[in-house]
Amino acid sequence: MLLKGQTAIVTGGGRGIGRAIALKLASLGADIVINYTSNDSAAKETAKECEKFAVKTLLVQANISIEEDCEKLISEALELNGRIDILVNNAGITRDNIMLSMKTAEFDDVINTNLRGTYLCMKKALKPMLKQKYGRIISLSSVVGLRGNVGQANYSASKAGIIGLTKSLAKEMAARNITVNAVAPGFIGTDMTDAMTDAAKEKMIAEIPCKRIGEPEDVANAVSFFASPDASYITGQVLCVDGGMAV
């Protein structure tokens, strides 16, 4: 129980990769704050699964792109145990389109949720982390933040921005016992990828050296490593969980 007694916030924790992360951290003993935007049933199901590990859970509905909602998330999370040890910035959206057809709203929506939301959660969580002289911040970037992708200029920009946030904040907080790292998933099996055609999946898999789609648990394992005592001397890093796509 490496994380017993710690409190972890997972944004977008109701389903997909976020659910896998919440379950992994719970299995290590952390009490879990599950942030979600609208899917109540999925969030409740994740909480129910986490509680099987005999940990406390808290559901907080909040839109992380709105500053007041982020303040609410941190405030309610502190009510669970009086501290925040781990922040996992997982929440994100896509609005795919080629640049010539991309609407300004499609660009803004993705940047506001993925990048602005990560910035706001980082900033709001820092105060309690500084007070307790301990913190672990892990943000979900993406392989497309490193190499770009057709039709995803907005998403790629947001995920590249998260890498910049991670490295900058890591330098600012390194002497305060707060580490800041990022995980960059590749092609991971989620509801989003399940909606793809078989032909599109086969084309994507052909580009992966490992020749398979990753699982949400693969990402969760990387996040839990950064959250654990084993990573206490690692900060400002980006770990690709992509089957070799970014090599």
Side-chain angles (χ1 to χ4, degrees):
M1 304 293 280
L2 288 174
L3 305 178
K4 187 173 178 59
Q6 295 193 27
T7 303
I9 297 174
V10 182
T11 68
R15 55 189 179 136
I17 291 174
R19 172 178 287 183
I21 292 169
L23 288 171
K24 181 65 178 183
L25 296 179
S27 76
L28 296 175
D31 295 324
I32 307 296
V33 178
I34 300 164
N35 159 251
Y36 69 102
T37 303
S38 58
N39 196 329
D40 293 276
S41 59
K44 289 177 181 177
E45 180 60 29
T46 299
K48 183 178 178 181
E49 291 298 312
C50 286
E51 287 165 359
K52 291 179 180 179
F53 295 103
V55 301
K56 292 186 286 186
T57 63
L58 175 67
L59 300 179
V60 182
Q61 185 174 14
N63 183 339
I64 61 164
S65 68
I66 300 172
E67 187 164 6
E68 291 76 12
D69 277 22
C70 282
E71 290 173 351
K72 169 192 171 185
L73 170 60
I74 299 303
S75 176
E76 293 189 14
L78 284 169
E79 293 177 4
L80 190 64
N81 291 319
R83 59 186 293 121
I84 296 169
D85 301 279
I86 301 161
L87 168 66
V88 182
N89 293 303
N90 166 75
I93 63 170
T94 58
R95 297 287 185 270
D96 295 350
N97 214 336
I98 61 171
M99 181 73 79
L100 284 172
S101 301
M102 184 177 291
K103 297 178 176 62
T104 302
E106 291 173 331
F107 184 85
D108 288 346
D109 286 349
V110 171
I111 294 297
N112 285 338
T113 297
N114 300 4
L115 185 56
R116 173 183 164 87
T118 296
Y119 153 76
L120 287 172
C121 288
M122 283 177 165
K123 184 173 182 179
K124 303 300 179 183
L126 280 178
K127 187 174 181 180
M129 287 183 175
L130 286 167
K131 183 177 180 181
Q132 66 204 24
K133 299 180 180 178
Y134 180 88
R136 298 287 182 263
I137 298 175
I138 305 104
S139 300
L140 274 289
S141 179
S142 169
V143 65
V144 304
L146 295 167
R147 55 182 280 185
N149 196 33
V150 173
Q152 289 193 309
N154 48 4
Y155 187 75
S156 299
S158 71
K159 294 301 184 177
I162 286 173
I163 292 174
L165 280 178
T166 295
K167 291 183 176 293
S168 297
L169 187 59
K171 289 185 175 182
E172 292 178 9
M173 292 293 116
R176 308 294 186 91
N177 199 28
I178 298 172
T179 63
V180 190
N181 292 289
V183 174
F187 192 31
I188 306 297
T190 62
D191 291 344
M192 191 182 303
T193 56
D194 288 344
M196 296 173 64
T197 65
D198 290 340
K201 288 181 184 178
E202 289 174 6
K203 182 179 179 181
M204 185 67 73
I205 291 171
E207 299 179 12
I208 304 172
C210 282
K211 300 304 177 187
R212 70 174 178 88
I213 297 173
E215 299 295 334
E217 290 74 19
D218 294 320
V219 181
N221 289 337
V223 170
S224 67
F225 167 68
F226 279 136
S228 77
D230 294 336
S232 63
Y233 197 57
I234 301 173
T235 195
Q237 301 304 305
V238 182
L239 178 56
C240 293
V241 182
D242 64 357
M245 285 182 71
V247 173

